[in-house]
Amino acid sequence: MSFPEGVGDFHPTHVVPQDGLPAWESPDVSRPTVPLDAFLPVQLLSRRGDWGEVLCANGWSAWVDGRLLVSVPQPPPTAEGRPPGRTEDPRPQLERSAEALERYRQAVAELAAGRTDSEAFRRSVRGLRAGIVIDGESVWLYDESAGRWMYGDGTRLVTYAAVAGPGASPGAAARAPSDPVADRVGVEPGQAVGHAPTRIVDKPEPGGE
Protein backbone atom coordinates (compact mmCIF):
# COMPACT_ATOMS: atom_id res chain seq x y z
CA MET A 1 0.00 0.00 0.00
CA SER A 2 1.00 3.63 -0.36
CA PHE A 3 0.15 6.79 1.51
CA PRO A 4 -1.00 9.44 -0.97
CA GLU A 5 -1.47 13.12 -0.31
CA GLY A 6 -4.86 14.72 0.08
CA VAL A 7 -6.26 12.41 2.76
CA GLY A 8 -8.41 15.26 4.01
CA ASP A 9 -10.35 15.04 0.74
CA PHE A 10 -11.46 11.48 1.45
CA HIS A 11 -15.02 10.96 0.17
CA PRO A 12 -16.15 7.30 0.03
CA THR A 13 -17.47 6.25 -3.33
CA HIS A 14 -17.62 2.50 -2.67
CA VAL A 15 -17.49 -0.09 0.07
CA VAL A 16 -15.71 -3.42 0.11
CA PRO A 17 -18.12 -6.38 -0.41
CA GLN A 18 -19.14 -8.58 2.51
CA ASP A 19 -16.41 -11.16 1.85
CA GLY A 20 -13.60 -8.60 1.84
CA LEU A 21 -11.20 -8.08 -1.07
CA PRO A 22 -7.65 -9.17 -1.85
CA ALA A 23 -5.42 -6.16 -2.47
CA TRP A 24 -2.17 -5.47 -4.31
CA GLU A 25 0.47 -2.73 -4.10
CA SER A 26 0.13 -2.16 -7.83
CA PRO A 27 -2.00 -3.59 -10.66
CA ASP A 28 0.19 -6.69 -10.61
CA VAL A 29 -0.81 -10.04 -9.05
CA SER A 30 2.80 -10.66 -8.01
CA ARG A 31 2.66 -7.81 -5.46
CA PRO A 32 -0.05 -8.73 -2.92
CA THR A 33 -0.63 -6.68 0.21
CA VAL A 34 -3.01 -6.69 3.18
CA PRO A 35 -6.59 -7.62 2.15
CA LEU A 36 -9.34 -5.07 2.71
CA ASP A 37 -11.93 -5.78 5.39
CA ALA A 38 -15.60 -6.33 4.57
CA PHE A 39 -17.73 -3.18 4.29
CA LEU A 40 -14.68 -0.90 4.48
CA PRO A 41 -15.49 2.51 2.92
CA VAL A 42 -13.07 3.40 0.12
CA GLN A 43 -12.67 6.10 -2.47
CA LEU A 44 -12.07 4.94 -6.02
CA LEU A 45 -9.14 6.99 -7.31
CA SER A 46 -8.58 5.50 -10.74
CA ARG A 47 -9.24 2.52 -12.97
CA ARG A 48 -6.91 0.50 -15.17
CA GLY A 49 -8.94 -2.10 -16.99
CA ASP A 50 -10.51 -4.35 -14.35
CA TRP A 51 -8.21 -2.96 -11.68
CA GLY A 52 -9.27 -0.18 -9.34
CA GLU A 53 -7.02 2.01 -7.18
CA VAL A 54 -8.75 2.78 -3.88
CA LEU A 55 -8.02 5.11 -1.00
CA CYS A 56 -8.96 4.23 2.58
CA ALA A 57 -9.95 6.74 5.28
CA ASN A 58 -6.59 6.33 7.04
CA GLY A 59 -4.72 7.37 3.91
CA TRP A 60 -3.62 3.95 2.70
CA SER A 61 -4.18 3.10 -0.92
CA ALA A 62 -4.11 -0.17 -2.81
CA TRP A 63 -5.22 -1.84 -6.02
CA VAL A 64 -8.19 -4.25 -6.06
CA ASP A 65 -10.54 -5.91 -8.51
CA GLY A 66 -12.58 -2.79 -9.17
CA ARG A 67 -15.52 -4.73 -10.57
CA LEU A 68 -16.36 -6.11 -7.14
CA LEU A 69 -16.58 -2.79 -5.31
CA VAL A 70 -20.07 -1.87 -4.13
CA SER A 71 -21.11 1.65 -5.14
CA VAL A 72 -22.18 4.12 -2.48
CA PRO A 73 -25.20 6.22 -3.51
CA GLN A 74 -24.12 9.77 -4.17
CA PRO A 75 -26.15 12.94 -3.47
CA PRO A 76 -28.28 14.13 -6.38
CA PRO A 77 -26.85 16.98 -8.47
CA THR A 78 -28.14 20.51 -8.24
CA ALA A 79 -31.11 21.63 -10.30
CA GLU A 80 -28.72 23.06 -12.88
CA GLY A 81 -26.92 19.75 -13.27
CA ARG A 82 -27.86 16.65 -15.17
CA PRO A 83 -30.21 14.12 -13.56
CA PRO A 84 -28.45 11.34 -11.66
CA GLY A 85 -27.60 8.27 -13.69
CA ARG A 86 -29.21 4.99 -12.66
CA THR A 87 -27.48 1.77 -11.90
CA GLU A 88 -27.37 -0.67 -14.79
CA ASP A 89 -30.82 -1.35 -16.18
CA PRO A 90 -31.48 -5.11 -15.96
CA ARG A 91 -33.69 -5.21 -19.05
CA PRO A 92 -30.99 -5.26 -21.77
CA GLN A 93 -29.15 -8.11 -20.04
CA LEU A 94 -32.41 -10.00 -19.53
CA GLU A 95 -33.19 -9.59 -23.23
CA ARG A 96 -29.75 -10.89 -24.23
CA SER A 97 -30.14 -13.89 -21.93
CA ALA A 98 -33.62 -14.59 -23.29
CA GLU A 99 -32.33 -14.42 -26.88
CA ALA A 100 -29.50 -16.84 -26.10
CA LEU A 101 -31.92 -19.22 -24.40
CA GLU A 102 -34.32 -19.07 -27.34
CA ARG A 103 -31.51 -19.78 -29.82
CA TYR A 104 -30.50 -22.82 -27.80
CA ARG A 105 -34.13 -24.00 -27.47
CA GLN A 106 -34.62 -23.78 -31.24
CA ALA A 107 -31.39 -25.69 -31.89
CA VAL A 108 -32.46 -28.43 -29.47
CA ALA A 109 -35.89 -28.61 -31.10
CA GLU A 110 -34.30 -29.02 -34.55
CA LEU A 111 -32.05 -31.80 -33.26
CA ALA A 112 -34.88 -33.60 -31.45
CA ALA A 113 -37.09 -33.46 -34.54
CA GLY A 114 -34.36 -34.99 -36.69
CA ARG A 115 -34.10 -31.93 -38.91
CA THR A 116 -30.40 -31.56 -38.10
CA ASP A 117 -27.59 -33.78 -36.89
CA SER A 118 -25.37 -33.51 -33.83
CA GLU A 119 -22.52 -31.87 -35.72
CA ALA A 120 -24.81 -29.17 -37.13
CA PHE A 121 -26.28 -28.72 -33.67
CA ARG A 122 -22.81 -28.13 -32.19
CA ARG A 123 -22.00 -25.60 -34.90
CA SER A 124 -25.24 -23.70 -34.34
CA VAL A 125 -24.67 -23.26 -30.60
CA ARG A 126 -20.89 -22.83 -30.66
CA GLY A 127 -19.90 -19.77 -28.64
CA LEU A 128 -23.41 -19.33 -27.24
CA ARG A 129 -23.33 -18.55 -23.52
CA ALA A 130 -26.04 -17.48 -21.09
CA GLY A 131 -26.57 -17.67 -17.37
CA ILE A 132 -29.62 -16.71 -15.35
CA VAL A 133 -30.93 -17.68 -11.92
CA ILE A 134 -34.24 -16.30 -10.67
CA ASP A 135 -35.38 -16.60 -7.07
CA GLY A 136 -38.40 -14.44 -6.36
CA GLU A 137 -37.43 -10.81 -6.86
CA SER A 138 -33.73 -11.67 -7.01
CA VAL A 139 -31.99 -12.44 -10.27
CA TRP A 140 -28.41 -13.38 -11.15
CA LEU A 141 -27.39 -12.78 -14.78
CA TYR A 142 -24.15 -13.68 -16.52
CA ASP A 143 -22.71 -10.79 -18.54
CA GLU A 144 -20.54 -12.55 -21.16
CA SER A 145 -19.05 -9.34 -22.56
CA ALA A 146 -17.56 -8.38 -19.18
CA GLY A 147 -17.01 -11.85 -17.73
CA ARG A 148 -19.00 -11.23 -14.58
CA TRP A 149 -22.16 -12.23 -12.77
CA MET A 150 -24.66 -9.45 -12.05
CA TYR A 151 -27.21 -9.36 -9.24
CA GLY A 152 -30.51 -7.52 -9.57
CA ASP A 153 -33.64 -6.88 -7.54
CA GLY A 154 -35.89 -6.00 -10.46
CA THR A 155 -34.89 -2.34 -10.65
CA ARG A 156 -31.10 -2.37 -11.00
CA LEU A 157 -28.07 -4.57 -11.63
CA VAL A 158 -24.79 -4.54 -9.72
CA THR A 159 -21.71 -6.71 -10.10
CA TYR A 160 -21.96 -9.81 -7.91
CA ALA A 161 -18.86 -11.73 -8.90
CA ALA A 162 -16.16 -11.72 -11.55
CA VAL A 163 -15.35 -14.94 -13.39
CA ALA A 164 -11.70 -13.98 -13.84
CA GLY A 165 -9.36 -11.46 -12.29
CA PRO A 166 -8.70 -7.97 -13.63
CA GLY A 167 -6.90 -7.94 -16.96
CA ALA A 168 -7.95 -11.48 -17.90
CA SER A 169 -9.84 -12.11 -21.12
CA PRO A 170 -13.57 -12.69 -20.41
CA GLY A 171 -13.67 -15.10 -23.35
CA ALA A 172 -10.84 -17.18 -21.94
CA ALA A 173 -12.45 -17.27 -18.53
CA ALA A 174 -15.81 -18.21 -19.95
CA ARG A 175 -14.42 -21.32 -21.60
CA ALA A 176 -14.03 -22.96 -18.18
CA PRO A 177 -17.17 -23.34 -16.02
CA SER A 178 -16.80 -21.53 -12.72
CA ASP A 179 -18.60 -21.05 -9.42
CA PRO A 180 -19.48 -17.33 -9.01
CA VAL A 181 -19.23 -17.52 -5.22
CA ALA A 182 -15.86 -19.28 -5.32
CA ASP A 183 -14.60 -16.69 -7.78
CA ARG A 184 -15.38 -13.98 -5.29
CA VAL A 185 -13.89 -15.50 -2.15
CA GLY A 186 -10.15 -15.96 -1.76
CA VAL A 187 -9.25 -16.06 -5.44
CA GLU A 188 -6.62 -13.76 -6.84
CA PRO A 189 -7.08 -12.04 -10.22
CA GLY A 190 -5.99 -14.41 -12.94
CA GLN A 191 -6.09 -17.45 -10.65
CA ALA A 192 -8.21 -20.31 -11.99
CA VAL A 193 -10.89 -21.79 -9.78
CA GLY A 194 -10.86 -25.55 -9.70
CA HIS A 195 -10.99 -28.65 -7.55
CA ALA A 196 -9.43 -32.07 -7.33
CA PRO A 197 -10.85 -34.56 -9.82
CA THR A 198 -13.56 -36.86 -8.54
CA ARG A 199 -12.24 -40.28 -7.55
CA ILE A 200 -14.36 -43.42 -7.79
CA VAL A 201 -13.54 -45.86 -5.00
CA ASP A 202 -14.83 -49.43 -4.97
CA LYS A 203 -16.89 -50.21 -1.89
CA PRO A 204 -15.35 -53.19 0.02
CA GLU A 205 -17.35 -56.37 0.25
CA PRO A 206 -18.94 -57.19 3.64
CA GLY A 207 -16.30 -58.74 5.88
CA GLY A 208 -13.52 -57.49 3.66
CA GLU A 209 -10.82 -55.01 4.63
Side-chain angles (χ1 to χ4, degrees), residues 3-196:
F3 192 86
E5 298 179 357
V7 177
D9 297 329
F10 177 76
H11 299 290
T13 59
H14 297 76
V15 296
V16 175
Q18 62 183 357
D19 297 313
L21 274 182
W24 291 264
E25 294 181 358
S26 64
D28 182 349
V29 294
S30 67
R31 302 187 62 186
T33 186
V34 180
L36 301 185
D37 294 334
F39 305 115
L40 178 71
V42 297
Q43 180 179 348
L44 182 62
L45 299 177
S46 63
R47 286 189 179 273
R48 188 177 300 177
D50 298 333
W51 294 94
E53 183 185 15
V54 296
L55 172 68
C56 302
N58 64 358
W60 292 103
S61 69
W63 290 84
V64 299
D65 189 338
R67 299 169 299 177
L68 301 183
L69 293 170
V70 180
S71 297
V72 174
Q74 299 299 310
T78 61
E80 291 78 20
R82 298 178 61 185
R86 298 191 60 186
T87 322
E88 288 194 54
D89 188 338
R91 290 172 294 181
Q93 185 62 45
L94 283 168
E95 290 172 0
R96 287 191 291 270
S97 297
E99 290 170 0
L101 179 60
E102 177 59 20
R103 281 182 55 192
Y104 190 84
R105 187 199 66 78
Q106 291 179 355
V108 169
E110 291 290 313
L111 180 63
R115 291 190 290 269
T116 187
D117 57 24
S118 58
E119 180 59 30
F121 169 75
R122 284 192 292 269
R123 287 197 304 269
S124 67
V125 298
R126 184 173 299 150
L128 186 63
R129 294 186 180 92
I132 180 169
V133 177
I134 299 175
D135 183 12
E137 67 179 17
S138 300
V139 62
W140 290 263
L141 297 167
Y142 180 63
D143 181 0
E144 179 189 353
S145 63
R148 60 181 176 172
W149 280 87
M150 308 289 289
Y151 169 78
D153 59 4
T155 60
R156 60 177 186 159
L157 281 179
V158 295
T159 298
Y160 172 75
V163 173
S169 168
R175 284 194 289 270
S178 179
D179 181 351
V181 177
D183 283 333
R184 182 167 176 178
V185 182
V187 177
E188 296 181 356
Q191 177 180 345
V193 177
H195 56 79

